[in-house]
PDB file of all heavy atoms in Angstrom:
ATOM      1  N   LEU A1064       7.372   7.559  21.286  1.00 98.00           N
ATOM      2  CA  LEU A1064       5.988   8.043  21.347  1.00 98.00           C
ATOM      3  C   LEU A1064       5.893   9.510  21.760  1.00 98.00           C
ATOM      4  O   LEU A1064       4.977   9.905  22.498  1.00 98.00           O
ATOM      5  CB  LEU A1064       5.134   7.179  22.289  1.00 98.00           C
ATOM      6  CG  LEU A1064       5.215   5.662  22.117  1.00 98.00           C
ATOM      7  CD1 LEU A1064       4.158   4.977  22.972  1.00 98.00           C
ATOM      8  CD2 LEU A1064       5.058   5.243  20.670  1.00 98.00           C
ATOM      9  N   VAL A1065       6.842  10.309  21.315  1.00 98.00           N
ATOM     10  CA  VAL A1065       6.709  11.760  21.500  1.00 98.00           C
ATOM     11  C   VAL A1065       5.420  12.185  20.806  1.00 98.00           C
ATOM     12  O   VAL A1065       5.158  11.781  19.669  1.00 98.00           O
ATOM     13  CB  VAL A1065       7.936  12.498  20.904  1.00 98.00           C
ATOM     14  CG1 VAL A1065       7.722  14.005  20.889  1.00 98.00           C
ATOM     15  CG2 VAL A1065       9.184  12.130  21.693  1.00 98.00           C
ATOM     16  N   ARG A1066       4.601  12.974  21.480  1.00 97.00           N
ATOM     17  CA  ARG A1066       3.258  13.259  20.956  1.00 97.00           C
ATOM     18  C   ARG A1066       3.264  13.999  19.632  1.00 97.00           C
ATOM     19  O   ARG A1066       2.252  14.022  18.939  1.00 97.00           O
ATOM     20  CB  ARG A1066       2.458  14.075  21.974  1.00 97.00           C
ATOM     21  CG  ARG A1066       1.859  13.244  23.076  1.00 97.00           C
ATOM     22  CD  ARG A1066       0.975  14.093  23.951  1.00 97.00           C
ATOM     23  NE  ARG A1066       0.481  13.347  25.079  1.00 97.00           N
ATOM     24  CZ  ARG A1066      -0.694  12.716  25.089  1.00 97.00           C
ATOM     25  NH1 ARG A1066      -1.477  12.761  24.038  1.00 97.00           N
ATOM     26  NH2 ARG A1066      -1.076  12.057  26.161  1.00 97.00           N
ATOM     27  N   PHE A1067       4.384  14.641  19.290  1.00 97.00           N
ATOM     28  CA  PHE A1067       4.429  15.354  18.008  1.00 97.00           C
ATOM     29  C   PHE A1067       5.483  14.753  17.077  1.00 97.00           C
ATOM     30  O   PHE A1067       6.086  15.451  16.274  1.00 97.00           O
ATOM     31  CB  PHE A1067       4.642  16.859  18.216  1.00 97.00           C
ATOM     32  CG  PHE A1067       5.735  17.229  19.182  1.00 97.00           C
ATOM     33  CD1 PHE A1067       7.009  17.518  18.724  1.00 97.00           C
ATOM     34  CD2 PHE A1067       5.484  17.307  20.544  1.00 97.00           C
ATOM     35  CE1 PHE A1067       8.010  17.876  19.603  1.00 97.00           C
ATOM     36  CE2 PHE A1067       6.480  17.664  21.441  1.00 97.00           C
ATOM     37  CZ  PHE A1067       7.752  17.944  20.967  1.00 97.00           C
ATOM     38  N   ALA A1068       5.665  13.443  17.190  1.00 98.00           N
ATOM     39  CA  ALA A1068       6.570  12.758  16.259  1.00 98.00           C
ATOM     40  C   ALA A1068       5.910  12.675  14.886  1.00 98.00           C
ATOM     41  O   ALA A1068       4.701  12.476  14.778  1.00 98.00           O
ATOM     42  CB  ALA A1068       6.887  11.363  16.777  1.00 98.00           C
ATOM     43  N   GLY A1069       6.715  12.811  13.836  1.00 98.00           N
ATOM     44  CA  GLY A1069       6.185  12.764  12.477  1.00 98.00           C
ATOM     45  C   GLY A1069       6.656  11.525  11.725  1.00 98.00           C
ATOM     46  O   GLY A1069       7.479  10.751  12.207  1.00 98.00           O
ATOM     47  N   ILE A1070       6.080  11.368  10.528  1.00 98.00           N
ATOM     48  CA  ILE A1070       6.539  10.334   9.592  1.00 98.00           C
ATOM     49  C   ILE A1070       7.332  11.066   8.512  1.00 98.00           C
ATOM     50  O   ILE A1070       6.836  12.030   7.924  1.00 98.00           O
ATOM     51  CB  ILE A1070       5.349   9.581   8.966  1.00 98.00           C
ATOM     52  CG1 ILE A1070       4.529   8.893  10.063  1.00 98.00           C
ATOM     53  CG2 ILE A1070       5.839   8.562   7.939  1.00 98.00           C
ATOM     54  CD1 ILE A1070       3.224   8.291   9.558  1.00 98.00           C
ATOM     55  N   PHE A1071       8.549  10.614   8.262  1.00 97.00           N
ATOM     56  CA  PHE A1071       9.453  11.327   7.353  1.00 97.00           C
ATOM     57  C   PHE A1071       9.749  10.459   6.142  1.00 97.00           C
ATOM     58  O   PHE A1071       9.969   9.254   6.274  1.00 97.00           O
ATOM     59  CB  PHE A1071      10.769  11.663   8.088  1.00 97.00           C
ATOM     60  CG  PHE A1071      10.588  12.770   9.097  1.00 97.00           C
ATOM     61  CD1 PHE A1071       9.778  12.591  10.206  1.00 97.00           C
ATOM     62  CD2 PHE A1071      11.205  13.995   8.923  1.00 97.00           C
ATOM     63  CE1 PHE A1071       9.581  13.612  11.128  1.00 97.00           C
ATOM     64  CE2 PHE A1071      11.019  15.024   9.837  1.00 97.00           C
ATOM     65  CZ  PHE A1071      10.206  14.835  10.937  1.00 97.00           C
ATOM     66  N   ASN A1072       9.736  11.083   4.965  1.00 93.00           N
ATOM     67  CA  ASN A1072      10.091  10.300   3.784  1.00 93.00           C
ATOM     68  C   ASN A1072      10.927  11.124   2.823  1.00 93.00           C
ATOM     69  O   ASN A1072      10.850  12.357   2.802  1.00 93.00           O
ATOM     70  CB  ASN A1072       8.850   9.749   3.069  1.00 93.00           C
ATOM     71  CG  ASN A1072       7.985  10.828   2.491  1.00 93.00           C
ATOM     72  OD1 ASN A1072       7.288  11.510   3.217  1.00 93.00           O
ATOM     73  ND2 ASN A1072       8.040  11.003   1.189  1.00 93.00           N
ATOM     74  N   ASP A1073      11.730  10.434   2.047  1.00 89.00           N
ATOM     75  CA  ASP A1073      12.563  11.056   1.019  1.00 89.00           C
ATOM     76  C   ASP A1073      13.363  12.237   1.575  1.00 89.00           C
ATOM     77  O   ASP A1073      13.467  13.288   0.941  1.00 89.00           O
ATOM     78  CB  ASP A1073      11.708  11.480  -0.183  1.00 89.00           C
ATOM     79  CG  ASP A1073      11.056  10.281  -0.854  1.00 89.00           C
ATOM     80  OD1 ASP A1073      11.576   9.165  -0.677  1.00 89.00           O
ATOM     81  OD2 ASP A1073      10.025  10.457  -1.526  1.00 89.00           O
ATOM     82  N   LYS A1074      13.886  12.082   2.747  1.00 88.00           N
ATOM     83  CA  LYS A1074      14.791  13.046   3.377  1.00 88.00           C
ATOM     84  C   LYS A1074      14.281  14.484   3.311  1.00 88.00           C
ATOM     85  O   LYS A1074      14.750  15.286   2.513  1.00 88.00           O
ATOM     86  CB  LYS A1074      16.185  12.949   2.765  1.00 88.00           C
ATOM     87  CG  LYS A1074      16.860  11.636   3.103  1.00 88.00           C
ATOM     88  CD  LYS A1074      18.266  11.560   2.591  1.00 88.00           C
ATOM     89  CE  LYS A1074      18.907  10.265   3.072  1.00 88.00           C
ATOM     90  NZ  LYS A1074      20.173   9.973   2.425  1.00 88.00           N
ATOM     91  N   GLY A1075      13.334  14.776   4.125  1.00 85.00           N
ATOM     92  CA  GLY A1075      12.898  16.163   4.216  1.00 85.00           C
ATOM     93  C   GLY A1075      11.412  16.357   4.007  1.00 85.00           C
ATOM     94  O   GLY A1075      10.912  17.460   4.189  1.00 85.00           O
ATOM     95  N   HIS A1076      10.692  15.326   3.605  1.00 90.00           N
ATOM     96  CA  HIS A1076       9.246  15.466   3.442  1.00 90.00           C
ATOM     97  C   HIS A1076       8.578  14.848   4.662  1.00 90.00           C
ATOM     98  O   HIS A1076       8.916  13.744   5.069  1.00 90.00           O
ATOM     99  CB  HIS A1076       8.785  14.788   2.155  1.00 90.00           C
ATOM    100  CG  HIS A1076       9.371  15.440   0.940  1.00 90.00           C
ATOM    101  ND1 HIS A1076       8.659  16.270   0.121  1.00 90.00           N
ATOM    102  CD2 HIS A1076      10.625  15.417   0.451  1.00 90.00           C
ATOM    103  CE1 HIS A1076       9.444  16.724  -0.837  1.00 90.00           C
ATOM    104  NE2 HIS A1076      10.646  16.218  -0.656  1.00 90.00           N
ATOM    105  N   VAL A1077       7.622  15.575   5.214  1.00 93.00           N
ATOM    106  CA  VAL A1077       7.167  15.231   6.557  1.00 93.00           C
ATOM    107  C   VAL A1077       5.648  15.256   6.661  1.00 93.00           C
ATOM    108  O   VAL A1077       5.021  16.209   6.209  1.00 93.00           O
ATOM    109  CB  VAL A1077       7.719  16.261   7.576  1.00 93.00           C
ATOM    110  CG1 VAL A1077       7.399  15.823   8.985  1.00 93.00           C
ATOM    111  CG2 VAL A1077       9.205  16.477   7.394  1.00 93.00           C
ATOM    112  N   ALA A1078       5.074  14.222   7.262  1.00 92.00           N
ATOM    113  CA  ALA A1078       3.681  14.260   7.706  1.00 92.00           C
ATOM    114  C   ALA A1078       3.751  14.310   9.221  1.00 92.00           C
ATOM    115  O   ALA A1078       4.096  13.314   9.856  1.00 92.00           O
ATOM    116  CB  ALA A1078       2.929  13.017   7.241  1.00 92.00           C
ATOM    117  N   ALA A1079       3.482  15.485   9.796  1.00 89.00           N
ATOM    118  CA  ALA A1079       3.846  15.633  11.207  1.00 89.00           C
ATOM    119  C   ALA A1079       2.699  16.017  12.118  1.00 89.00           C
ATOM    120  O   ALA A1079       2.674  15.599  13.272  1.00 89.00           O
ATOM    121  CB  ALA A1079       4.955  16.672  11.340  1.00 89.00           C
ATOM    122  N   THR A1080       1.741  16.833  11.637  1.00 87.00           N
ATOM    123  CA  THR A1080       0.726  17.340  12.556  1.00 87.00           C
ATOM    124  C   THR A1080      -0.056  16.190  13.175  1.00 87.00           C
ATOM    125  O   THR A1080      -0.419  15.242  12.487  1.00 87.00           O
ATOM    126  CB  THR A1080      -0.229  18.283  11.805  1.00 87.00           C
ATOM    127  OG1 THR A1080       0.553  19.314  11.220  1.00 87.00           O
ATOM    128  CG2 THR A1080      -1.243  18.907  12.747  1.00 87.00           C
ATOM    129  N   ASN A1081      -0.319  16.281  14.452  1.00 87.00           N
ATOM    130  CA  ASN A1081      -1.078  15.280  15.214  1.00 87.00           C
ATOM    131  C   ASN A1081      -0.267  14.041  15.575  1.00 87.00           C
ATOM    132  O   ASN A1081      -0.831  13.050  16.034  1.00 87.00           O
ATOM    133  CB  ASN A1081      -2.347  14.820  14.476  1.00 87.00           C
ATOM    134  CG  ASN A1081      -3.351  15.936  14.332  1.00 87.00           C
ATOM    135  OD1 ASN A1081      -3.449  16.783  15.201  1.00 87.00           O
ATOM    136  ND2 ASN A1081      -4.085  15.941  13.235  1.00 87.00           N
TER     137      ASN A1081
END
Side-chain angles (χ1 to χ4, degrees):
L1064 312 189
V1065 171
R1066 280 186 185 266
F1067 47 95
I1070 299 172
F1071 287 65
N1072 65 285
D1073 297 338
K1074 292 184 175 169
H1076 296 256
V1077 187
T1080 303
N1081 294 327

